C-alpha cells in the first residue's frame, strides 16, 4: 500500500502541546507545517473536487464536543448496539461509494483531534459508570481507524487504556495495512482489529488508495499472531457478473490464512446509497459501475438492491462462510428483521441482544 503523504499539515495553536502533534512532527519531517489560531477558515479551497482536494491537507485541532456516542444506526433496521469514538474526521483513502462524500460534504477537512487525554477521560467516565454493561466501541465511523496511524500514533495512545477495561471491546476498522505500531502493544483481549474486505476486482475499481486484499490479509494475520482479536466486514458487497466466484475465492483465501476460531465476528452488508451520495459519486467517479445497477429505496431512505437479491447474496455468503467456519458469529449490517429472518431463520429480539452476542466469551445462541 502506498502510504498517504499530506502536502501540508495545519495545526491549531492549542494543539501544539499534544502527543499527536509531537508524533506528526517526528514522522512527517519533510512536510511543511503551518500553525494557525483557528482552523475553521484555514485551508478552505475552491477546487472543482473540493472533497478530493480536502484529503491533501491534514489538520490537527482540539475536538470541542463529545467523543463518545451511540452509533446512530439506520431507521427501521436491526441495530447492533455499537458505540463510536470519533478521533478524526474524513479519510486519506478514496472509495467511490464512501458515504462521507455526502455526510462530510460541508465539513470535508481531513482532521485529527489532538486532545486524546480528554477522549480517554470521557470514555473512562462512561465505562466506569456502567460496569455491568458491555460496550462495543468503534473508531471508524467517520474515518479509517488505522490509515493515519503511522503519523499520528493515535491508536497507540488508546490501546493501553482500553486494554485494561473489563467491559469493552475496542474495534479498529480499516482498509489499510498500517499495523506496525499495534504489534508492539499488548491488547489483553480487548482490541479487535477489523478489515473491510472485498475481492481484488472491487478494490481495483472502487477502493482507491487502499491496501490490496493480500496486504490486508497479511496485516490481519500479523495482528492475530500477537494476540489481537480479528473481525471482517464484507461490506459493501457488490453484485456484478461473476461476483459469486470472486467472493467465494476471497473467503477461501481468507480462511486458509486466518484461524477462524479466533475471530470475534464477521458482518455482511450490501452496497447502500442515497440520492445525495449518488450525485457526489456521479461528479467524482462518473465511470464507476456502482451507479448503473438497479436499487430500491428502503424505509430508512437508503437505496439497496432488491430484497430477494440481497437475501440470495447473504445466503450464499453465509453458506460459504459456514463451510469453513461453522460457528463463527455473523451479523447483518443495517438490514431489516425480515431479511434477518430469511437469511438466518431468526432476528435478534432487540439491539442489546445483538450487542451482547458479540461480548467476548458469550455463548452464541445463533449457530
Ligand atoms: S476507507 Fe472507508 S472512510 Fe476511507 S474512503 Fe473508503 S469507505 Fe470512506
Amino acid at each position: 500500500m502506498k502510504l498517504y503523504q499530506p502536502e501540508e499539515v495545519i495545526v491549531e495553536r492549542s494543539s501544539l502541546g499534544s502527543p499527536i502533534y509531537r508524533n506528526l512532527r517526528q514522522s512527517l519531517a519533510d512536510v511543511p507545517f503551518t500553525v494557525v489560531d483557528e482552523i475553521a477558515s484555514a485551508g478552505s479551497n475552491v477546487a472543482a473536487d473540493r472533497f478530493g482536494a480536502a484529503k491533501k491537507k491534514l489538520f490537527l485541532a482540539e475536538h470541542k464536543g463529545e467523543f463518545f456516542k451511540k452509533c446512530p444506526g439506520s431507521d427501521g433496521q436491526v441495530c447492533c448496539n455499537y458505540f463510536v469514538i470519533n478521533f478524526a474526521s474524513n479519510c486519506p483513502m478514496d472509495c467511490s461509494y464512501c458515504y462521507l462524500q455526502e455526510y462530510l460534504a460541508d465539513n470535508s477537512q481531513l482532521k485529527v483531534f489532538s486532545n486524546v487525554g480528554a477522549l480517554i477521560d470521557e470514555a473512562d467516565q462512561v465505562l466506569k459508570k456502567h460496569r455491568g454493561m458491555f460496550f462495543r466501541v468503534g473508531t471508524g465511523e467517520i474515518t479509517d481507524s488505522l490509515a493515519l496511524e503511522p503519523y499520528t500514533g493515535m491508536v497507540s495512545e488508546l490501546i493501553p487504556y482500553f486494554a485494561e477495561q473489563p467491559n469493552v471491546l475496542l474495534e479498529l476498522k480499516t482498509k489499510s495495512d498500517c499495523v506496525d505500531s499495534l504489534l508492539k502493544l499488548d491488547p489483553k483481549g480487548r482490541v479487535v482489529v477489523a478489515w473491510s474486505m472485498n475481492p481484488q476486482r472491487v478494490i481495483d475499481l472502487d477502493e482507491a488508495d487502499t491496501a490490496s486484499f493480500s496486504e490486508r490479509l497479511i496485516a490481519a494475520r500479523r495482528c492475530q499472531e500477537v494476540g489481537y482479536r480479528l473481525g471482517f466486514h464484507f461490506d459493501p458487497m457488490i453484485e456484478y457478473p461473476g461476483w459469486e466466484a470472486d467472493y467465494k475465492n476471497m473467503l477461501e483465501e481468507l480462511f486458509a490464512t486466518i484461524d477462524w476460531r479466533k475471530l470475534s465476528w464477521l458482518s455482511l452488508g450490501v452496497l447502500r446509497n442515497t440520492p445525495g451520495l449518488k450525485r457526489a459519486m456521479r461528479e467524482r467517479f462518473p465511470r464507476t459501475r456502482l451507479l448503473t445497477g438497479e436499487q430500491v429505496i428502503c424505509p430508512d431512505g437508503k437505496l439497496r438492491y432488491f430484497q430477494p437479491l440481497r437475501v440470495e447474496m447473504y445466503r450464499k455468503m453465509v453458506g460459504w462462510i459456514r463451510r469453513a467456519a461453522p460457528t463463527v458469529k455473523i451479523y447483518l449490517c443495517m438490514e431489516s428483521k425480515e431479511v434477518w429472518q430469511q437469511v438466518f431463520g431468526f432476528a435478534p429480539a432487540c439491539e442489546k441482544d445483538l450487542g451482547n452476542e458479540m461480548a467476548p466469551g458469550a455463548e452464541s445462541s445463533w449457530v
Side-chain angles (χ1 to χ4, degrees), residues 51 55 90-100 140-144 174-175 196 206-208 210:
F51 190 82
K55 291 173 183 267
N90 209 341
C91 170
M93 300 182 276
D94 208 7
C95 304
S96 65
Y97 53 75
C98 179
Y99 88 108
L100 299 181
E141 190 206 19
I142 56 168
T143 190
D144 182 279
T174 190
K175 287 194 183 97
S196 300
D206 287 294
E207 297 183 353
T210 63

Side-chain angles (χ1 to χ4, degrees), residues 209-224:
D209 306 326
T210 63
S212 68
F213 174 75
S214 306
E215 287 170 334
R216 295 181 208 182
L217 203 50
I218 290 166
R221 193 174 58 193
R222 291 176 74 205
C223 286
Q224 188 170 61

Side-chain angles (χ1 to χ4, degrees), residues 273-284:
N273 269 321
T274 61
L277 176 55
K278 279 191 130 174
R279 270 195 298 280
M281 289 167 72
R282 229 170 258 127
E283 276 172 27
R284 301 196 61 235

Side-chain angles (χ1 to χ4, degrees), residues 1 18 28 30 45 50 63 72 93 96 123 163 173 193 200 204 232 253 258 273 293 311 315 329 335 366:
M1 175 185 174
S18 79
L28 291 168
D30 297 335
N45 59 68
R50 280 180 62 223
H63 182 56
M93 300 182 276
S96 65
K173 261 190 219 176
V193 195
Q200 189 59 45
D204 288 342
F232 291 102
E253 202 174 329
I258 298 297
N273 269 321
V311 169
R315 279 184 178 158
K329 290 173 186 171
E335 275 295 358
W366 299 358

